[in-house]
Amino acid sequence: MRVLLLSTYDLGRQPFGLASPAAWLREAGHDVTCIDLTRTKLDEDAVRRAGLVACFLPMHTATRLALPVLDRVHALNPGAHLCAYGLYAPLSVAVLREHGVDTILGPEFEADLVAIAASAGTPTDAHALPRLKFRRPDRSDLPSLARYATLQIGAERRTVGYTEASRGCKHRCRHCPIVPIYDGRFRIVPVDVVLADVAAQVAAGARHITFGDPDFFNGPVHAVRIVEALARECPGVTYDVTIKVEHLLKHDALLPVLRDTGCAFVTSAVESLDDDVLARLEKGHTRADFERVAARFAEIDLALSPTFVAFTPWTTLQTYCDLLQTIDRLGLVGAVAPVQYAIRLLVPEGSRMLELPDMRARV
């Protein structure tokens, strides 16, 4: 079958969510075309030829941007089977149906996409979390890494690659969109698969790798194996990871390992400096915990990049000003992306935020 995979937004990086299923589908004998609409215009001829058109929806922004694209695809090829897949697909069922989507898959989508292509596009929603035998992603027809976001370190600008060493998360933070899907489960990607993907991107020019795991320390032993092998096999290549404040405290002894293996910075979803809000979000840390982590990072000379949900139903002018003043006091102004001062709490379908009576009343 001719399969068209589309990405509408993936934070300025080459979309893993196209490269991974492309490898599976091509291995099964299907003719696959990948189009990243952040870098390439929609190929209308490719749309007309496709029997299956599948759109990758890893986040809310990608989902909203996909809606007019789905309408255009349906107009060009009304006989094509339309599929939406990724974390936000099962969180957006109603609106996707309104735009003609036949099949909706969750974030463990590779085998299901192969099954749909094999069945000539029979509608089969699948929101389960199968245990997959991961393959190395196939990036052969995606735009070069040089066309994506880069990392600047001093005067040097580095081409950035992206991969995943695990999926899902074993925590159940109340506001997190991963929780309605994974509900405390996570999946490990074998070390050899991760390193093969990294090596291929390094060969294509990457000098920095972003590990997109929701939390790199969900499996700390696995994480250390990955970064030690990366440092050994790709000397001089830097990387970044995302880790909870709770894990940064629990696995404090591993922080020098990150630094010494080339970690350029660690992103941590701090979310708020208000302990009442942190308790509502069930983040697993306090304001004091975050300040301890910030001090520890400064002590060992490892860069911390905190992220926030600046606006929640409980944000006040006082707490917002306190957020700004604390970031300044901790010397983290340069480490916080400006957009973090404007992020609003998102409550998708199935969110645990709806367990709170005052949130239900507001919604």
Side-chain angles (χ1 to χ4, degrees):
M1 173 177 276
R2 284 180 172 170
V3 181
L4 176 60
L5 301 178
L6 300 174
S7 174
T8 57
Y9 179 73
D10 204 1
L11 292 172
R13 59 199 178 205
Q14 191 186 64
F16 183 91
L18 300 192
S20 182
W24 288 64
L25 288 158
R26 287 172 180 145
E27 183 181 285
H30 299 286
D31 182 355
V32 181
T33 299
C34 297
I35 298 180
D36 178 0
L37 294 171
T38 71
R39 297 294 180 271
T40 308
K41 290 183 178 180
L42 184 65
D43 184 336
E44 295 188 352
D45 289 336
V47 173
R48 293 188 183 97
R49 291 193 301 265
L52 169 62
V53 180
C55 197
F56 176 48
L57 306 179
M59 59 194 82
H60 177 76
T61 303
T63 306
R64 305 308 300 185
L65 292 173
L67 300 181
V69 175
L70 292 169
D71 292 341
R72 183 64 180 150
V73 167
H74 186 68
L76 290 168
N77 186 353
H81 184 97
L82 287 186
C83 173
Y85 66 98
L87 182 66
Y88 268 81
L91 301 180
S92 314
V93 171
V95 69
L96 292 173
R97 294 294 191 213
E98 290 172 3
H99 289 265
V101 173
D102 300 297
T103 293
I104 295 172
L105 306 177
E108 302 290 330
F109 44 74
E110 287 89 346
D112 292 322
L113 281 170
V114 172
I116 292 167
S119 65
T122 302
T124 310
D125 287 1
H127 303 162
L129 297 173
R131 292 195 174 274
L132 302 175
K133 185 177 180 181
F134 294 101
R135 277 87 161 158
R136 194 192 91 185
D138 182 348
R139 306 171 184 274
S140 57
D141 67 337
L142 285 168
S144 71
L145 291 174
R147 294 185 61 191
Y148 290 91
T150 56
L151 175 69
Q152 187 163 337
I153 303 177
E156 180 187 9
R157 188 173 291 277
R158 294 192 166 205
T159 298
V160 177
Y162 173 92
T163 195
E164 297 174 359
S166 66
R167 294 178 173 179
C169 185
K170 65 183 182 182
H171 295 273
R172 300 182 71 250
C173 302
R174 197 189 295 273
H175 66 303
C176 180
I178 295 169
V179 174
I181 307 300
Y182 282 92
D183 195 27
R185 292 165 287 181
F186 79 109
R187 300 283 189 262
I188 290 295
V189 182
V191 173
D192 61 329
V193 175
V194 178
L195 292 178
D197 187 30
V198 169
Q201 293 181 81
V202 170
R207 299 299 295 160
H208 179 90
I209 299 294
T210 291
F211 287 98
D213 311 41
D215 194 297
F216 198 62
F217 275 1
N218 269 322
V221 173
H222 177 66
V224 168
R225 287 174 181 158
I226 293 284
V227 298
E228 289 183 339
L230 172 63
R232 183 173 60 251
E233 297 180 20
C234 302
V237 174
T238 55
Y239 67 89
D240 69 273
V241 295
T242 298
I243 304 174
K244 284 170 63 72
V245 170
E246 178 182 356
H247 284 168
L248 293 172
L249 289 172
K250 181 178 180 180
H251 304 295
D252 173 82
L254 297 181
L255 299 185
V257 176
L258 297 181
R259 178 198 61 200
D260 295 342
T261 52
C263 184
F265 62 93
V266 176
T267 299
S268 192
V270 179
E271 313 301 39
S272 176
L273 299 181
D274 183 326
D275 282 337
D276 179 60
V277 173
L278 289 170
R280 289 172 181 271
L281 301 182
E282 293 189 4
K283 275 299 297 178
H285 72 261
T286 64
R287 177 197 182 105
D289 291 335
F290 165 61
E291 297 204 14
R292 285 172 56 202
V293 165
R296 175 62 170 153
F297 270 64
E299 176 190 340
I300 66 171
D301 195 26
L302 180 60
L304 179 66
S305 178
T307 63
F308 299 94
V309 179
F311 291 95
T312 74
W314 309 285
T315 300
T316 66
L317 182 59
Q318 180 181 357
T319 62
Y320 187 76
C321 289
D322 176 62
L323 171 70
L324 303 181
Q325 291 160 359
T326 302
I327 290 170
D328 183 39
R329 176 172 57 81
L330 295 176
L332 291 171
V333 172
V336 178
V339 72
Q340 295 301 322
Y341 302 122
I343 298 292
R344 294 176 293 169
L345 178 66
L346 180 65
V347 185
E349 186 75 23
S351 172
R352 289 192 62 226
M353 293 304 300
L354 296 171
E355 296 171 356
L356 300 176
D358 55 347
M359 178 60 76
R360 287 201 305 275
R362 291 173 185 271
V363 171

